[in-house]
Amino acid sequence: MSYTPPPRDPKAPPVRVNLLSDTQTRPTPAMREAMARAEVGDEQSGDDPTVHELCGRVAALLGKEAAVFMPSGTMCNVAATLVHCRPGDEILAHETAHIISREGGAHAALGGFQVTQLKGPDGQFTPQTFRAALHPRSRYQPPQTVVSVEQTANIGGGTIWKKTALDEIVQIAKAQGMATHMDGARLLNATVATGIPAAEMTAGWDSAWIDFSKGLGAPIGGALAGSAAFIDEVWRWKQRLGGSMRQAGIVAAACIYALDHHVDRLAEDHANARALARGLSQIQGVEVQEPETNLVFFKPDGAGVSGDKMVGELRKRGVLLAMMDGRIRACTHLDVSAGMIEETVGHVREIVRTA
């Protein structure tokens, strides 16, 4: 099995609608202009003013003392657990969480951590499930050090953790002396959908981060926030992992532009996701999960078309979607218009009709 992504097939049809992921977004012309004008310095030496501005903005946004700019969200998750835990410690997370299913086993490979998988519908576990998974401190069992949630829950369908559940999980964790970590890759989708400010959503969580390369449309980057002492230790791991950068202000400027211009517009992605779900649900035999944010999961099996066949047929028409956890996932973002949603529904209807 190859671990290197193959280059795009030059014979493949041109892409008309890209619903693979919100990571497929391209920097807008205005964002590129902001990047070109960015004031820069050596980020690794603490001399990049644009990176400093971004970190200050994120710390304030999430209600934390400090923040650090990272090349990727995965590095945010990995560095956070490497600070919170010691080898042999146990992390509790949902069985479909990104730290389990999409990070190459980094937490076990780099930190020697055990990740206990908690069950629950729609990518979320209940506070009761979390409490039931706790065990007394004993030399026979690993120390339970961290509980992690993913806001929004990707494989769960882009579902939003309710504030009451987040608060209760924090209370349980603190009573056990555990640290709390929020994978906030799509946290701002949740805040836009609910109207709850990000700082309220992350209140009580020792570490949290946001991604800029998904719905916010920047080319790369995430920012991890927490206490000043925590971020100081994260910097040590950022250095060890090769995440320290030089003139990073060029990409940090894209992230600042995204915070200024691309947060409120996430509501458009949510509206397009609802329109896509509505159109698909009107096709007989297509089972659709009602979206809460910008992710739409559906199964066409009842219409006599397998998910793999549907994805393949759509690709022939220049529409890109992905299979994930046995279902088809469509992800709306700033490069997807309402017209593209209508076109996608039309293609699915045609494929079902000729099946």
Short mmCIF file of all heavy atoms in Angstrom, two decimals, residues 146-191:
data_model
loop_
_atom_site.label_atom_id
_atom_site.label_comp_id
_atom_site.label_asym_id
_atom_site.label_seq_id
_atom_site.Cartn_x
_atom_site.Cartn_y
_atom_site.Cartn_z
N VAL A 146 -6.32 13.26 30.08
CA VAL A 146 -6.98 14.25 29.22
C VAL A 146 -8.29 13.71 28.69
O VAL A 146 -8.39 12.52 28.34
CB VAL A 146 -6.07 14.62 28.01
CG1 VAL A 146 -6.79 15.56 27.05
CG2 VAL A 146 -4.78 15.28 28.47
N VAL A 147 -9.29 14.58 28.60
CA VAL A 147 -10.49 14.30 27.82
C VAL A 147 -10.52 15.30 26.67
O VAL A 147 -10.23 16.48 26.85
CB VAL A 147 -11.78 14.39 28.67
CG1 VAL A 147 -11.96 15.78 29.28
CG2 VAL A 147 -12.99 14.01 27.83
N SER A 148 -10.82 14.79 25.47
CA SER A 148 -10.79 15.62 24.27
C SER A 148 -12.13 15.55 23.54
O SER A 148 -12.73 14.47 23.43
CB SER A 148 -9.67 15.15 23.33
OG SER A 148 -9.67 15.89 22.13
N VAL A 149 -12.59 16.69 23.06
CA VAL A 149 -13.79 16.74 22.21
C VAL A 149 -13.43 17.43 20.90
O VAL A 149 -12.46 18.19 20.82
CB VAL A 149 -14.95 17.49 22.89
CG1 VAL A 149 -15.36 16.81 24.18
CG2 VAL A 149 -14.62 18.95 23.12
N GLU A 150 -14.23 17.15 19.87
CA GLU A 150 -14.01 17.74 18.54
C GLU A 150 -15.24 18.57 18.19
O GLU A 150 -16.33 18.06 18.04
CB GLU A 150 -13.81 16.62 17.52
CG GLU A 150 -13.49 17.09 16.13
CD GLU A 150 -13.34 15.92 15.16
OE1 GLU A 150 -13.07 14.78 15.62
OE2 GLU A 150 -13.50 16.14 13.95
N GLN A 151 -15.03 19.88 18.07
CA GLN A 151 -16.12 20.82 17.80
C GLN A 151 -15.87 21.50 16.44
O GLN A 151 -14.93 22.24 16.29
CB GLN A 151 -16.17 21.87 18.91
CG GLN A 151 -17.27 22.89 18.81
CD GLN A 151 -18.64 22.36 19.17
OE1 GLN A 151 -19.10 21.40 18.57
NE2 GLN A 151 -19.29 22.98 20.14
N THR A 152 -16.66 21.23 15.41
CA THR A 152 -17.77 20.31 15.38
C THR A 152 -17.28 18.87 15.16
O THR A 152 -16.12 18.68 14.84
CB THR A 152 -18.75 20.66 14.23
OG1 THR A 152 -18.06 20.55 12.97
CG2 THR A 152 -19.21 22.10 14.33
N ALA A 153 -18.19 17.88 15.35
CA ALA A 153 -17.79 16.49 15.19
C ALA A 153 -17.85 16.11 13.72
O ALA A 153 -18.92 15.95 13.15
CB ALA A 153 -18.72 15.59 16.01
N ASN A 154 -16.70 15.97 13.10
CA ASN A 154 -16.60 15.77 11.66
C ASN A 154 -17.36 14.54 11.19
O ASN A 154 -18.36 14.63 10.48
CB ASN A 154 -15.12 15.69 11.27
CG ASN A 154 -14.89 15.36 9.80
OD1 ASN A 154 -15.80 15.43 8.98
ND2 ASN A 154 -13.68 14.98 9.47
N ILE A 155 -16.87 13.35 11.58
CA ILE A 155 -17.49 12.11 11.10
C ILE A 155 -18.90 11.94 11.66
O ILE A 155 -19.72 11.23 11.09
CB ILE A 155 -16.58 10.91 11.43
CG1 ILE A 155 -15.22 11.08 10.72
CG2 ILE A 155 -17.22 9.59 11.03
CD1 ILE A 155 -14.23 9.98 10.99
N GLY A 156 -19.20 12.64 12.72
CA GLY A 156 -20.55 12.61 13.26
C GLY A 156 -21.55 13.38 12.41
O GLY A 156 -22.75 13.33 12.67
N GLY A 157 -21.05 14.11 11.41
CA GLY A 157 -21.94 14.86 10.52
C GLY A 157 -21.83 16.36 10.70
O GLY A 157 -22.75 17.10 10.32
N GLY A 158 -20.72 16.83 11.28
CA GLY A 158 -20.60 18.26 11.53
C GLY A 158 -21.52 18.72 12.64
O GLY A 158 -21.95 19.88 12.67
N THR A 159 -21.81 17.82 13.59
CA THR A 159 -22.72 18.15 14.67
C THR A 159 -22.05 19.03 15.72
O THR A 159 -20.83 19.00 15.90
CB THR A 159 -23.24 16.86 15.36
OG1 THR A 159 -22.11 16.11 15.83
CG2 THR A 159 -24.06 16.03 14.40
N ILE A 160 -22.86 19.81 16.40
CA ILE A 160 -22.38 20.79 17.36
C ILE A 160 -22.57 20.27 18.78
O ILE A 160 -23.68 19.91 19.17
CB ILE A 160 -23.15 22.13 17.20
CG1 ILE A 160 -22.96 22.67 15.79
CG2 ILE A 160 -22.67 23.14 18.23
CD1 ILE A 160 -23.90 23.83 15.46
N TRP A 161 -21.49 20.24 19.54
CA TRP A 161 -21.58 19.90 20.97
C TRP A 161 -22.35 21.01 21.67
O TRP A 161 -22.01 22.20 21.55
CB TRP A 161 -20.20 19.79 21.59
CG TRP A 161 -19.44 18.56 21.25
CD1 TRP A 161 -18.75 18.31 20.10
CD2 TRP A 161 -19.26 17.40 22.08
NE1 TRP A 161 -18.16 17.08 20.16
CE2 TRP A 161 -18.45 16.50 21.36
CE3 TRP A 161 -19.70 17.06 23.36
CZ2 TRP A 161 -18.07 15.27 21.88
CZ3 TRP A 161 -19.32 15.83 23.88
CH2 TRP A 161 -18.52 14.94 23.14
N LYS A 162 -23.36 20.66 22.43
CA LYS A 162 -24.11 21.66 23.18
C LYS A 162 -23.27 22.20 24.33
O LYS A 162 -22.47 21.49 24.93
CB LYS A 162 -25.41 21.05 23.73
CG LYS A 162 -26.46 20.82 22.64
CD LYS A 162 -27.76 20.30 23.22
CE LYS A 162 -28.89 20.33 22.20
NZ LYS A 162 -28.54 19.69 20.93
N LYS A 163 -23.46 23.48 24.63
CA LYS A 163 -22.70 24.13 25.67
C LYS A 163 -22.91 23.43 27.02
O LYS A 163 -21.96 23.30 27.81
CB LYS A 163 -23.12 25.60 25.77
CG LYS A 163 -22.40 26.41 26.82
CD LYS A 163 -20.96 26.70 26.41
CE LYS A 163 -20.33 27.79 27.26
NZ LYS A 163 -20.23 27.48 28.69
N THR A 164 -24.11 22.98 27.30
CA THR A 164 -24.38 22.32 28.57
C THR A 164 -23.57 21.04 28.71
O THR A 164 -23.05 20.75 29.80
CB THR A 164 -25.88 22.00 28.70
OG1 THR A 164 -26.31 21.29 27.53
CG2 THR A 164 -26.70 23.27 28.85
N ALA A 165 -23.44 20.28 27.61
CA ALA A 165 -22.65 19.05 27.65
C ALA A 165 -21.17 19.37 27.84
O ALA A 165 -20.47 18.71 28.63
CB ALA A 165 -22.86 18.24 26.38
N LEU A 166 -20.67 20.39 27.15
CA LEU A 166 -19.27 20.78 27.28
C LEU A 166 -18.97 21.18 28.73
O LEU A 166 -17.94 20.80 29.29
CB LEU A 166 -18.94 21.92 26.33
CG LEU A 166 -19.00 21.61 24.83
CD1 LEU A 166 -18.78 22.89 24.01
CD2 LEU A 166 -17.97 20.56 24.45
N ASP A 167 -19.86 21.97 29.31
CA ASP A 167 -19.64 22.42 30.68
C ASP A 167 -19.65 21.26 31.67
O ASP A 167 -18.84 21.22 32.60
CB ASP A 167 -20.73 23.43 31.08
CG ASP A 167 -20.59 24.75 30.33
OD1 ASP A 167 -19.52 24.98 29.74
OD2 ASP A 167 -21.55 25.54 30.36
N GLU A 168 -20.54 20.30 31.45
CA GLU A 168 -20.61 19.17 32.37
C GLU A 168 -19.38 18.29 32.26
O GLU A 168 -18.86 17.78 33.27
CB GLU A 168 -21.88 18.35 32.11
CG GLU A 168 -22.15 17.30 33.17
CD GLU A 168 -23.50 16.62 33.04
OE1 GLU A 168 -24.33 17.09 32.23
OE2 GLU A 168 -23.72 15.61 33.74
N ILE A 169 -18.89 18.11 31.04
CA ILE A 169 -17.67 17.32 30.84
C ILE A 169 -16.49 17.99 31.55
O ILE A 169 -15.66 17.33 32.18
CB ILE A 169 -17.39 17.13 29.34
CG1 ILE A 169 -18.43 16.18 28.73
CG2 ILE A 169 -15.98 16.58 29.11
CD1 ILE A 169 -18.41 16.13 27.22
N VAL A 170 -16.41 19.31 31.46
CA VAL A 170 -15.35 20.05 32.16
C VAL A 170 -15.44 19.81 33.66
O VAL A 170 -14.43 19.55 34.33
CB VAL A 170 -15.43 21.55 31.83
CG1 VAL A 170 -14.58 22.36 32.81
CG2 VAL A 170 -14.97 21.82 30.41
N GLN A 171 -16.64 19.89 34.21
CA GLN A 171 -16.81 19.71 35.65
C GLN A 171 -16.37 18.32 36.10
O GLN A 171 -15.68 18.17 37.11
CB GLN A 171 -18.27 19.94 36.03
CG GLN A 171 -18.73 21.39 35.88
CD GLN A 171 -20.23 21.54 36.09
OE1 GLN A 171 -20.93 20.59 36.40
NE2 GLN A 171 -20.72 22.76 35.90
N ILE A 172 -16.75 17.31 35.32
CA ILE A 172 -16.37 15.94 35.66
C ILE A 172 -14.85 15.78 35.59
O ILE A 172 -14.22 15.19 36.47
CB ILE A 172 -17.06 14.94 34.71
CG1 ILE A 172 -18.57 14.99 34.90
CG2 ILE A 172 -16.55 13.52 34.95
CD1 ILE A 172 -19.35 14.23 33.83
N ALA A 173 -14.26 16.32 34.52
CA ALA A 173 -12.82 16.19 34.32
C ALA A 173 -12.04 16.88 35.45
O ALA A 173 -11.07 16.32 35.99
CB ALA A 173 -12.42 16.77 32.97
N LYS A 174 -12.45 18.07 35.80
CA LYS A 174 -11.73 18.82 36.84
C LYS A 174 -11.82 18.11 38.19
O LYS A 174 -10.86 18.11 38.97
CB LYS A 174 -12.28 20.24 36.94
CG LYS A 174 -12.06 21.08 35.69
CD LYS A 174 -10.62 21.09 35.25
CE LYS A 174 -10.41 21.88 33.98
NZ LYS A 174 -9.02 21.77 33.47
N ALA A 175 -12.97 17.50 38.45
CA ALA A 175 -13.11 16.76 39.70
C ALA A 175 -12.17 15.57 39.76
O ALA A 175 -11.79 15.12 40.85
CB ALA A 175 -14.56 16.29 39.85
N GLN A 176 -11.75 15.07 38.58
CA GLN A 176 -10.82 13.95 38.51
C GLN A 176 -9.37 14.40 38.35
O GLN A 176 -8.47 13.57 38.22
CB GLN A 176 -11.20 13.05 37.33
CG GLN A 176 -12.54 12.36 37.46
CD GLN A 176 -12.55 11.35 38.57
OE1 GLN A 176 -11.64 10.54 38.69
NE2 GLN A 176 -13.59 11.37 39.42
N GLY A 177 -9.15 15.71 38.30
CA GLY A 177 -7.80 16.22 38.10
C GLY A 177 -7.30 16.06 36.68
O GLY A 177 -6.09 16.03 36.43
N MET A 178 -8.23 15.97 35.72
CA MET A 178 -7.87 15.78 34.32
C MET A 178 -7.81 17.11 33.57
O MET A 178 -8.50 18.07 33.91
CB MET A 178 -8.89 14.86 33.62
CG MET A 178 -8.95 13.46 34.17
SD MET A 178 -10.26 12.48 33.39
CE MET A 178 -9.63 12.37 31.70
N ALA A 179 -6.98 17.15 32.53
CA ALA A 179 -6.93 18.30 31.63
C ALA A 179 -8.01 18.14 30.55
O ALA A 179 -8.44 17.02 30.25
CB ALA A 179 -5.55 18.40 30.98
N THR A 180 -8.44 19.27 29.98
CA THR A 180 -9.47 19.26 28.95
C THR A 180 -8.92 19.90 27.68
O THR A 180 -8.29 20.96 27.73
CB THR A 180 -10.71 20.03 29.42
OG1 THR A 180 -10.33 21.34 29.87
CG2 THR A 180 -11.40 19.30 30.56
N HIS A 181 -9.18 19.24 26.54
CA HIS A 181 -8.67 19.73 25.25
C HIS A 181 -9.79 19.75 24.23
O HIS A 181 -10.51 18.76 24.09
CB HIS A 181 -7.52 18.84 24.76
CG HIS A 181 -7.06 19.19 23.37
ND1 HIS A 181 -6.40 20.37 23.09
CD2 HIS A 181 -7.17 18.54 22.18
CE1 HIS A 181 -6.11 20.41 21.79
NE2 HIS A 181 -6.58 19.32 21.23
N MET A 182 -9.93 20.87 23.52
CA MET A 182 -10.93 20.98 22.47
C MET A 182 -10.25 21.10 21.11
O MET A 182 -9.51 22.05 20.85
CB MET A 182 -11.84 22.19 22.68
CG MET A 182 -12.92 22.32 21.61
SD MET A 182 -14.00 23.76 21.83
CE MET A 182 -14.91 23.28 23.29
N ASP A 183 -10.50 20.09 20.25
CA ASP A 183 -10.11 20.16 18.85
C ASP A 183 -11.14 21.05 18.17
O ASP A 183 -12.26 20.64 17.89
CB ASP A 183 -10.13 18.74 18.26
CG ASP A 183 -9.89 18.69 16.77
OD1 ASP A 183 -10.10 19.71 16.08
OD2 ASP A 183 -9.53 17.61 16.26
N GLY A 184 -10.76 22.29 17.91
CA GLY A 184 -11.70 23.27 17.37
C GLY A 184 -11.54 23.52 15.89
O GLY A 184 -11.70 24.66 15.43
N ALA A 185 -11.25 22.45 15.14
CA ALA A 185 -11.02 22.62 13.70
C ALA A 185 -12.15 23.41 13.04
O ALA A 185 -11.90 24.27 12.19
CB ALA A 185 -10.88 21.25 13.04
N ARG A 186 -13.40 23.11 13.43
CA ARG A 186 -14.54 23.84 12.88
C ARG A 186 -15.32 24.53 14.00
O ARG A 186 -16.55 24.67 13.92
CB ARG A 186 -15.43 22.89 12.06
CG ARG A 186 -14.74 22.33 10.82
CD ARG A 186 -15.66 21.45 9.99
NE ARG A 186 -15.02 21.01 8.76
CZ ARG A 186 -14.29 19.89 8.63
NH1 ARG A 186 -14.12 19.10 9.70
NH2 ARG A 186 -13.73 19.57 7.49
N LEU A 187 -14.61 24.96 15.02
CA LEU A 187 -15.24 25.63 16.16
C LEU A 187 -16.04 26.85 15.72
O LEU A 187 -17.15 27.10 16.22
CB LEU A 187 -14.17 26.04 17.17
CG LEU A 187 -14.59 26.96 18.32
CD1 LEU A 187 -15.66 26.30 19.18
CD2 LEU A 187 -13.39 27.34 19.16
N LEU A 188 -15.51 27.63 14.78
CA LEU A 188 -16.20 28.85 14.39
C LEU A 188 -17.46 28.56 13.59
O LEU A 188 -18.38 29.38 13.57
CB LEU A 188 -15.25 29.78 13.62
CG LEU A 188 -14.06 30.29 14.45
CD1 LEU A 188 -13.26 31.31 13.68
CD2 LEU A 188 -14.52 30.86 15.78
N ASN A 189 -17.53 27.38 12.95
CA ASN A 189 -18.80 26.97 12.36
C ASN A 189 -19.85 26.82 13.46
O ASN A 189 -21.01 27.21 13.29
CB ASN A 189 -18.66 25.65 11.60
CG ASN A 189 -17.91 25.80 10.30
OD1 ASN A 189 -16.69 25.65 10.26
ND2 ASN A 189 -18.62 26.11 9.24
N ALA A 190 -19.44 26.25 14.59
CA ALA A 190 -20.37 26.06 15.71
C ALA A 190 -20.79 27.39 16.31
O ALA A 190 -21.97 27.58 16.65
CB ALA A 190 -19.71 25.19 16.78
N THR A 191 -19.87 28.34 16.44
CA THR A 191 -20.23 29.63 17.03
C THR A 191 -21.16 30.41 16.12
O THR A 191 -22.09 31.07 16.59
CB THR A 191 -18.97 30.46 17.35
OG1 THR A 191 -18.28 30.79 16.14
CG2 THR A 191 -18.02 29.69 18.26
#
